Amino acid sequence: MTKAQIVGWSHSPFGKTEHPDTEALMEAVIGPALAHAGVETGDVDGIFVGVMNGGFSRQGFEAALVGMTDTALANVPSVRLENACSTGSAAVYAAMDFIEAGRGRITLVVGAEKMTALPTAAVGDILLGACYRKEESDVEGGFAGVFGGIAQSYFQRYGDRSEELAMIAAKNHANGALNPYAHMRRDFGFEFCNTVSDKNPLVAGPLRRTDCSMVSDGAAALVLADAETAATLQRAIAFRARVQVNDVMALSRRDILAFDGARRAWAAALPAAGVTLDDLSFVETHDCFTIAELIEYEAMGLAAPGEGYRVVRDGTTTKSGRLPVNPSGGLKAKGHPVGATGVSMHVLSAMQLMGEAGDMQIPDAKLAGLFNMGGAAVANYVSILERAR
C-alpha cells in the first residue's frame, strides 16, 4: 500500500481578519498551497474540507465552496469533515485514506473557520456543541467553563498549579511573538499571565484570560500525494504514524483528568513509529486552554499524573528545552479557528521539518509529534512526522 505524504501547504494569518466569510478564507490558501506543492488544479483527485460551522455561518455545504473559489476544482470529488476542534485532522486523515486506498494520487485538504462575525456569547454556545449537551449545556461560561471545571478539579486533586499555567501561557505567547501567522504576536511575560487584573480577568474557575485560546478566523491548506508522486516533487513529509482514539463524550462517565483517549493515542502512535518521546524534536499540542496543555504533558508520558508541573518548572518544554512544545505559540497565541486548527498544526510541523519555519525554527528538527483533540479529549489524533525529501 502506498503511503500518503505532505508535499505542499499554505497558511493564512489567524485573527480577526478582513475575509468576509469561509469561502474567502479558503480561497486565500488553496492557490498558494497548490503552487507551493508544484501541482496543477487538474492534478487534484480529491478534496477534503474541514469546517466545523455549527452556526458560525448560515452557509453550509462547504465542500462545494472549493469549486466556487476555483472553477477548475468544481468537478473534483469533494467532501466536508466535522469532528469538533479536531475537524482539521479528520480532513487530513480522510485525505490520506483516499490516497492509501488507491482512489487517487493527489489530494487537497482545506481547513477554515470564520468565528469573529458573531457575538462572544453566540460563539460560546456554538462551541458547546462539542460537549454533551444533555448534561453539560448549562455549564456557566460555555466551553471555557468546562475547562475551568477541569482546572478546578485538577487543583483539588493535585494542588494549585496556577503559576505553572501562567508559565505555559507566557511560554506560548513568547513563541507566538515569532509566528507571522499568529493572532497574538506579543510576549506578555510571566508576571502579566500570573496576575488577575482588568486586562487579565478570571474567565472561568481559576482560568484567566491568558489561560484561554482566542476566537479567531483563519484557514490552512495541505496538498498530499502518494509516495511515488511525492518523490518527484520538491518537498515530502512522511507520517511515521498516525492514530485516532476516541473516548466517551460525557464528562460524567470518565475521569476527565486522565485524558485517557489522548494517553492511548500517544501510547499507540509512538511504538507504531518506532520512537519514544526522547526521539522527538518538538511537539505541537492542543492548548485550547493552558490546563489542557498541562494534562497533555502527562497523557503523552512526559510526566506522571499530577506532575506535569515539573516539566514546566524545569524548562523541558521551552523552545530551548529538551522537548519544545508549541514552538508556533500553540492555539493559545496562534489562535483557534476551529476547522483550521488541525490542518494548521500539520502545516507548521511540516515547515519545521523542512527548515522553513523562520524565527519559529527548532534547530535541526527531524521528528515531529502532533496532538489535536476534539471536545474535552473526546476525539484524539496523534501524528508522528518526518522529512522524506
Side-chain angles (χ1 to χ4, degrees), residues 239-241 266-283 300 366-370 382-386:
F239 286 72
R240 285 280 290 266
W266 276 105
L270 290 169
V275 300
T276 69
L277 284 178
D278 289 336
D279 297 311
L280 300 182
S281 303
F282 66 94
V283 168
M300 72 174 74
K366 288 185 170 25
L367 203 60
L370 184 161
V382 173
S383 298
I384 309 294
L385 305 176
E386 65 180 348

Side-chain angles (χ1 to χ4, degrees), residues 51-335:
V51 177
M52 179 179 167
N53 197 341
F56 288 124
S57 170
R58 293 182 64 193
Q59 175 64 64
F61 199 8
E62 290 89 353
L65 288 178
V66 175
M68 297 299 296
T69 67
D70 187 337
T71 55
L73 295 170
N75 298 124
V76 179
S78 182
V79 295
R80 172 206 167 200
L81 284 295
E82 182 278 314
N83 214 17
C85 306
S86 61
T87 287
S89 289
V92 174
Y93 282 25
M96 296 178 70
D97 290 342
F98 181 89
I99 290 172
E100 293 174 5
R103 295 180 60 198
R105 297 182 305 109
I106 296 176
T107 55
L108 171 66
V109 180
V110 187
E113 209 76 63
K114 177 72 178 180
M115 301 175 70
T116 65
L118 296 181
T120 300
V123 171
D125 184 64
I126 290 169
L127 292 176
L128 268 178
C131 294
Y132 188 56
R133 281 191 180 269
K134 287 184 179 180
E135 296 181 4
E136 298 155 19
S137 63
D138 294 331
V139 172
E140 187 176 352
F143 217 67
V146 170
F147 275 86
I150 292 171
Q152 190 64 56
S153 296
Y154 189 95
F155 290 2
Q156 289 171 352
R157 185 181 299 182
Y158 298 120
D160 189 328
R161 296 302 174 199
S162 296
E163 285 196 2
E164 286 81 8
L165 296 189
M167 293 173 73
I168 290 172
K171 166 184 72 72
N172 290 347
H173 276 296
N175 291 346
L178 302 176
N179 182 350
Y181 307 114
H183 186 154
M184 184 61 70
R185 298 189 63 193
R186 182 178 175 185
D187 183 353
F188 287 98
F190 168 73
E191 289 301 329
F192 179 84
C193 295
N194 193 46
T195 304
V196 175
S197 64
D198 289 344
K199 292 185 177 180
N200 190 30
L202 289 171
V203 173
L207 298 181
R208 299 144 297 200
R209 181 176 289 164
T210 49
D211 292 308
C212 309
S213 61
M214 293 165 289
V215 174
S216 309
D217 307 328
L222 287 167
V223 180
L224 297 109
D226 60 61
E228 294 78 7
T229 302
T232 69
L233 299 173
Q234 185 176 350
R235 301 170 181 83
I237 302 297
F239 286 72
R240 285 280 290 266
R242 61 181 179 107
V243 172
Q244 179 192 353
V245 173
N246 270 45
D247 205 345
V248 177
M249 190 178 193
L251 300 179
S252 65
R253 303 182 196 180
R254 57 192 166 113
D255 179 3
I256 186 55
L257 301 187
F259 271 34
D260 188 58
R263 180 193 61 78
R264 288 184 289 124
W266 276 105
L270 290 169
V275 300
T276 69
L277 284 178
D278 289 336
D279 297 311
L280 300 182
S281 303
F282 66 94
V283 168
E284 285 286 339
T285 202
H286 193 103
D287 60 321
C288 48
F289 300 90
T290 52
I291 185 63
E293 180 167 329
L294 183 67
I295 298 174
E296 285 157 22
Y297 294 161
E298 300 167 11
M300 72 174 74
L302 198 56
E307 297 189 357
Y309 75 95
R310 295 184 184 274
V311 299
V312 179
R313 288 284 180 183
D314 68 16
T316 293
T317 58
T318 62
K319 194 172 180 181
S320 60
R322 178 168 58 87
L323 182 61
V325 175
N326 286 333
S328 69
L331 284 58
K332 174 78 268 290
K334 182 184 63 179

